[in-house]
Amino acid sequence: MNDREFNLLDEPWIRVIDKECSIHEVSLIDVLKHAHTYKDLCGELPTQDFAMLRLLLAVLHTVFSRYDVNGNEWPLEDADGALDRWADLWENKRFPAEVITEYLESQRENFYLFHPERPFYQCGHAKKGTEYSASKLNGNLSESSNKLRLFTDISGKAKEEMSFSEAARWLLYVNAYDDTSAKPSRESKERGVKLPSTGVGWLGKLGIIFAAGDNLFETLMLDMVMLNPNGEIFEKETPIWEREEIPDGERTKIACPENLSELYTLQSRRLFLKRKDQSVTGYFLLGGDFFDRENAFIEPMTVWKNSDGKKTNTHTPWRHDSSKQFWRECPAAILNDKENKPGIISWIKGLENEERIKNPRLYFRIVSVQYGDKDFFVTNVFSDSLQMYASLISDMGFAWRTMVLDSIDFCDTISKKVWLFAKDVNLASGGSNRTKESKGSSEIFAEKVKADFYNRLDGPFRRWLSTLNPETGRDREIDKDREADLVQEKGKEWRKKCVGIARQLGNEIIRQADAAAIFGRAKSGSEDKKSETFSAAEAMNRFLSGLYIAERK
């Protein structure tokens, strides 16, 4: 075997999808050189694609903090210069190939997947760590040595080894999202060294949100945040491959990065790939670098929450809830005009306010890994997206945002009425609250109906949200009163749709109830409580009356 093999600058390893929906593997140079021709990244998982996106952004931040769009060496000096450079790139509609290629060629030695001293994203010291098979490296499988996944689309030899291109992609994924199951090195155990807990990989700690455009070039540009939370340029970009010495300390606490290329190439794990012939058969792993996640606002792609009930100004990343559609989390993530919103939202809002972009349709995406007890293993990987006009998050979109937030609250109000109605109908049909379940059978039924209600709202709400365009008012040069009328009309439109969906669901539940439930039945109470009568007909009347009143408030 060659001691230097599979250079990521030349070898095809990044999966992309083109505008004809064909999937290709391309090299690191090619994906940036032709980003405008590709629709999107298309790896094995959306979380893997996000880890890849951060690698590409690290390259772009490094290059364009030092060179202008024409390839002239011109380090950024201030915020205006950063915005102008971003605008020049955006208007160019493609990345200047020569300057990117020249930079990457100067770093060629640092991009070999296998190298005697500097294997990409790896550390020879990791050979002292926990040893895993290739099936653990593959995030689609995520198997441990003593617990196999029963149902998978990969089996046999494909589980035992993988190609170099696959391994390179999963190398990024494991570094970013690895769980907490890895053990300390044998050397640390023998020395009795008590090591700190690093937690899961950095991206696994986040409620990730990012923006996507019509092609990969636009996606990378929209997510290339060139100003820090204070509105200033970042410290000198220092990606991991430019470090003179690759970090090799086990479970090392570091200072929070002050530039995005360092953050995006954070080595949350020490990894070392095992290979046999032309395949990777497994890897070694140790805990790597970590820093305090509290108030780490340099991270622009996460939702933040106040972690101590507003007693102090301490914020931590908020993980997404896989049981909720993204638009139900939307207020905290995108539309609230509060401090400490995701940096990517503030960045795009600034671009729209200063007319650096002209109200494009944006796709805000979330991706997340869900972990089991104490983050010890991965239980789920999920993603979601929302389409909206950029003007909705700009200063001119304030009234529209307020209306959207009210509309989401209205959904919550109606969902509670649906829940109560479903519970009463179930009780009238013979259901009971007196079970050994944590909730009575009637409440279990009501929860299922509520979930069904939100599933029915999902498509209509997304389509409605995608039509909201505050720019419409500016285009027509209408006055503020007319704009207020437009906002109100859109709000009423959604309320009517939401109530209609609730009413239809209620009719279906009534049709499924037995005849005895319509007239009702009595439920005996305790000694100090009178018997109660539950009637599906009465429940329906209360439900319809509540919907009528709510819609007209």
Side-chain angles (χ1 to χ4, degrees), residues 1 17 98 104 110 166 226 234 247 254 268 313 342 362 373 470:
M1 293 186 293
I17 185 169
E98 287 188 12
L104 288 174
N110 299 321
E166 286 180 282
M226 298 188 73
F234 291 97
I254 63 172
S268 292
N313 193 29
L362 300 177
D373 184 45

Side-chain angles (χ1 to χ4, degrees), residues 334 336-338 341 343-355 357 362 364 390 392-396 398 401:
I334 298 177
N336 268 338
D337 292 307
K338 295 181 178 180
K341 67 171 62 177
I344 188 65
I345 305 301
S346 299
W347 167 249
I348 292 176
K349 179 179 180 179
L351 294 176
E352 174 65 21
N353 286 342
E354 297 196 14
E355 299 186 19
I357 52 177
L362 300 177
F364 286 106
L392 190 61
I393 62 173
S394 69
D395 286 344
M396 70 175 296
F398 175 77
R401 289 196 299 279

Side-chain angles (χ1 to χ4, degrees), residues 219-496:
T219 297
L220 287 165
M221 285 298 301
L222 290 169
D223 292 303
M224 192 163 71
V225 179
M226 298 188 73
L227 299 178
N228 67 22
N230 297 320
E232 302 168 345
I233 60 173
F234 291 97
E235 297 294 321
K236 181 182 178 181
E237 299 291 343
T238 55
I240 186 64
W241 54 80
E242 288 190 359
R243 298 274 290 271
E244 290 186 9
E245 295 185 4
I246 300 299
D248 64 359
E250 183 180 358
R251 301 192 183 190
T252 305
K253 186 173 183 179
I254 63 172
C256 182
E258 295 183 342
N259 64 90
L260 289 183
S261 61
E262 181 183 358
L263 176 67
Y264 291 168
T265 58
L266 178 73
Q267 302 296 280
S268 292
R269 295 293 184 266
R270 308 282 186 243
L271 292 139
F272 187 81
L273 297 178
K274 298 181 344 184
R275 60 172 168 157
K276 181 180 180 182
D277 299 325
Q278 292 301 302
S279 298
V280 170
T281 58
Y283 66 105
F284 296 93
L285 180 142
L286 284 170
D289 295 337
F290 68 99
F291 53 88
D292 291 332
R293 59 179 181 162
E294 289 80 10
N295 294 347
F297 296 131
I298 190 169
E299 172 55 67
M301 300 183 187
T302 192
V303 181
W304 297 94
K305 67 174 181 179
N306 191 292
S307 59
D308 55 6
K310 298 183 179 179
K311 293 179 181 179
T312 65
N313 193 29
T314 301
H315 293 77
T316 54
W318 172 39
R319 286 173 169 173
H320 298 296
D321 183 350
S322 62
S323 67
K324 288 186 177 181
Q325 296 90 346
F326 178 27
W327 59 267
R328 293 170 64 189
E329 291 188 324
C330 188
I334 298 177
L335 299 177
N336 268 338
D337 292 307
K338 295 181 178 180
E339 294 181 358
N340 304 328
K341 67 171 62 177
I344 188 65
I345 305 301
S346 299
W347 167 249
I348 292 176
K349 179 179 180 179
L351 294 176
E352 174 65 21
N353 286 342
E354 297 196 14
E355 299 186 19
R356 304 281 181 163
I357 52 177
K358 298 179 180 178
N359 196 30
R361 281 181 180 267
L362 300 177
Y363 301 84
F364 286 106
R365 295 179 182 172
I366 62 171
V367 296
S368 190
V369 172
Q370 193 170 32
Y371 300 89
D373 184 45
K374 297 180 181 179
D375 294 345
F376 199 71
F377 52 90
V378 174
T379 60
N380 190 21
V381 172
F382 60 95
S383 62
D384 200 353
S385 64
L386 277 178
Q387 182 183 16
M388 66 182 69
Y389 284 99
S391 59
L392 190 61
I393 62 173
S394 69
D395 286 344
M396 70 175 296
F398 175 77
W400 295 80
R401 289 196 299 279
T402 301
M403 180 269 293
V404 173
L405 294 174
D406 289 343
S407 298
I408 294 173
D409 288 341
F410 182 76
C411 294
D412 184 55
T413 297
I414 300 301
S415 74
K416 293 174 182 176
K417 296 183 184 299
V418 168
W419 186 93
L420 184 60
F421 166 71
K423 179 185 176 183
D424 288 346
V425 171
N426 183 266
L427 288 171
S429 300
S432 173
N433 283 329
R434 299 178 181 179
T435 69
K436 293 182 180 180
E437 301 282 349
S438 59
K439 295 181 180 179
S441 61
S442 60
E443 294 192 7
I444 293 174
F445 176 74
E447 289 291 345
K448 291 179 179 178
V449 172
K450 180 180 176 181
D452 184 19
F453 173 64
Y454 271 117
N455 285 335
R456 296 182 184 212
L457 289 182
D458 190 45
F461 185 88
R462 293 173 189 273
R463 289 190 290 273
W464 172 78
L465 182 66
S466 69
T467 66
L468 304 182
N469 185 6
E471 191 80 18
T472 302
R474 187 160 63 185
D475 288 346
R476 296 180 183 175
E477 296 183 351
I478 61 177
D479 59 32
K480 289 293 181 181
D481 290 338
R482 176 56 182 148
E483 182 181 21
D485 290 342
L486 281 174
V487 172
Q488 189 176 40
E489 286 172 14
K490 279 295 185 178
K492 288 181 177 179
E493 177 186 316
W494 174 250
R495 284 176 172 242
K496 182 178 180 180

Side-chain angles (χ1 to χ4, degrees), residues 107-151:
Q107 300 293 318
R108 172 170 289 275
E109 194 72 7
N110 299 321
F111 281 88
Y112 281 100
L113 190 62
F114 304 102
H115 190 281
E117 298 174 358
R118 299 174 66 94
F120 181 78
Y121 261 49
Q122 298 169 73
C123 171
H125 177 65
K127 285 187 284 186
K128 300 177 182 178
T130 307
E131 184 175 2
Y132 293 105
S133 66
S135 61
K136 175 69 173 176
L137 181 62
N138 189 323
N140 270 324
L141 297 172
S142 193
E143 291 182 349
S144 67
S145 57
N146 59 3
K147 185 177 180 181
L148 303 181
R149 180 166 291 191
L150 294 178
F151 303 104

Side-chain angles (χ1 to χ4, degrees), residues 65-82:
S65 68
R66 304 172 187 177
Y67 302 92
D68 66 13
V69 69
N70 298 313
N72 300 313
E73 186 171 355
W74 192 348
L76 293 175
E77 296 179 351
D78 53 35
D80 288 340

